[in-house]
Amino acid sequence: MRTALIGYGLGGAAFHAPFLAATEGLRLSAVVTGNPERQAEVRSRYPDAEVIASVDEVWRRADEFDLVVVTTPNRFHAEHARAALEHGLNAVVDKPFAGSAAQARALAELAAGRGLLLAPFHNRRWDGDFRTVRRLVAEGALGRVHRFESRFERWRPEVKDSWKESGDPADLGSIVFDLGTHLVDQAIALFGRPRSVYAEVRVLRSGARADDDAFLALTHEGGAVSHLWASALANDLGPRFRVLGDRAAFVSHGMDPQEDALKAGATPGGPGWGEAASPASLGGTPVPLDPGAYQDFYAAVAQGRSPVPVADAVTGLEVLEAAFESARTARTISL
């Protein structure tokens, strides 16, 4: 599949380009970026890929591509995904998949109507620690799970000058759209669509304009609850996962190593890829984590299928909308 990667910030450089270049059945044909330094980096690292300065050129030359990967700033995700589909191109769309559930539904309908692949990029389903949780739940090793705790916490007390810190709602800069999207998607992958949402969303850091601290509580059919934390102001990090069942508990600390490896320029999928030394326990006994496997996402795309159901991305955005409403009204919101 001849692929145009739209955007070459951290997402494009670390999470997409290495896999597009390494996955059998995909070809990194072009990278869209107007930044001269990023253009030079692309030419150095991917000499066979064409550098294109404007996304409009991709649309004009749509017959030269099969797949578009959208990893532009959040506010453009739905716009660029729609343009790709309207030009007959399959699309992978970085998170958040869209700015609203309504936009996401419209994209899903457009893709289905045109018979095109539309894949939400929720790569954190292939974190090694989450793969371990998912396997243990499926095997019944924990028994009936009654609480799923999940955290993406960071210590970043200084506010950065970027669109991710913007107070303009159109930029989708809230930590809920950033880290919260991963947390919610993982909960949905485990337990399905929740029936209610409660949330606390705050701005804590001095000078910050975007939400930088959030807690979400999701109640699922069957009685399990997901307690999800995202924060930029956590000087003492809690467990990454704490999953409680009526037979055993699973606890893990630390982050999946794939992101750091990709930032360092590692080629994905080689020997030892995704293996983590992070401490984890099952029922109090140390256990190894399954290796992370981000490469599995694009392996599925190369086979012409979406590894993440678009319906799950729609549900995730419904949860985020309910979370903002809950935080605003101090009420639990039914879905």
Side-chain angles (χ1 to χ4, degrees):
M1 299 176 76
R2 301 165 299 173
T3 305
L5 173 62
I6 303 177
Y8 199 74
L10 172 61
F15 291 107
H16 295 284
F19 297 97
L20 295 171
T23 301
E24 183 178 355
L26 299 178
R27 185 168 80 225
L28 181 58
S29 299
V31 177
V32 180
T33 176
N35 182 297
E37 292 181 1
R38 293 174 182 176
Q39 289 177 342
E41 181 182 335
V42 172
R43 291 188 178 103
S44 174
R45 187 170 181 184
Y46 305 104
D48 294 333
E50 180 183 3
V51 175
I52 297 177
S54 169
V55 69
D56 291 335
E57 187 172 345
V58 174
W59 312 143
R60 286 194 298 269
R61 297 165 51 190
D63 60 344
E64 299 179 25
F65 304 104
D66 305 299
L67 173 69
V68 160
V69 175
V70 177
T71 181
T72 46
N74 291 353
R75 70 185 298 154
F76 299 114
H77 287 184
E79 173 188 337
H80 289 156
R82 172 168 287 280
L85 297 170
E86 288 176 342
H87 284 85
L89 296 168
N90 302 293
V92 170
V93 186
D94 217 330
K95 60 83 188 171
F97 181 67
S100 69
Q103 284 182 335
R105 290 188 205 98
L107 291 173
E109 291 171 4
L110 179 59
R114 302 205 174 192
L116 294 167
L117 171 69
L118 180 61
F121 187 68
H122 287 300
N123 64 314
R124 292 290 182 178
R125 292 191 180 199
W126 287 268
D127 279 357
D129 46 15
F130 182 69
R131 293 183 73 217
T132 305
V133 170
R134 202 169 187 179
R135 174 176 57 79
L136 293 173
V137 170
E139 292 173 352
L142 306 177
R144 182 180 61 83
V145 174
H146 55 86
R147 181 180 298 159
F148 170 66
E149 298 179 5
S150 179
R151 294 170 174 83
F152 274 132
E153 295 177 326
R154 297 169 173 169
W155 175 240
R156 295 184 178 174
E158 301 299 326
V159 177
K160 296 182 178 181
D161 183 16
S162 75
W163 61 263
K164 288 189 175 183
E165 301 276 15
S166 169
D168 183 349
D171 281 327
L172 308 179
S174 168
I175 201 169
V176 176
F177 281 114
D178 186 19
L179 303 179
T181 301
H182 290 309
L183 296 169
V184 168
D185 180 69
Q186 289 178 335
I188 290 169
L190 284 176
F191 305 111
R193 178 186 176 85
R195 62 172 185 249
S196 66
V197 178
Y198 167 79
E200 301 165 5
V201 181
R202 302 184 292 172
V203 179
L204 295 182
R205 293 172 299 169
S206 176
R209 294 174 294 167
D211 307 320
D212 55 14
D213 187 84
F215 167 72
L216 281 67
L218 317 182
T219 301
H220 303 270
E221 297 295 340
V225 295
S226 294
H227 287 174
L228 314 175
W229 288 265
S231 182
L233 200 64
N235 187 241
D236 186 5
L237 307 184
R240 173 66 188 91
F241 290 112
R242 182 170 177 260
V243 191
L244 306 179
D246 61 6
R247 182 178 300 170
F250 172 82
V251 182
S252 68
H253 297 263
M255 293 297 296
D256 179 274
Q258 294 175 96
E259 178 174 351
D260 285 344
L262 291 165
K263 287 178 179 178
T267 299
W273 178 260
E275 294 181 359
S278 301
S281 65
L282 175 63
T285 300
V287 294
L289 294 173
D290 295 353
Y294 289 169
Q295 66 274 15
D296 288 357
F297 179 93
Y298 272 114
V301 171
Q303 295 169 5
R305 57 186 178 86
S306 175
V308 177
V310 176
D312 284 1
V314 174
T315 296
L317 286 162
E318 291 175 338
V319 170
L320 299 193
E321 291 173 350
F324 286 121
E325 182 181 354
S326 173
R328 186 176 61 253
T329 63
R331 294 188 297 112
T332 297
I333 307 300
S334 297
L335 290 186

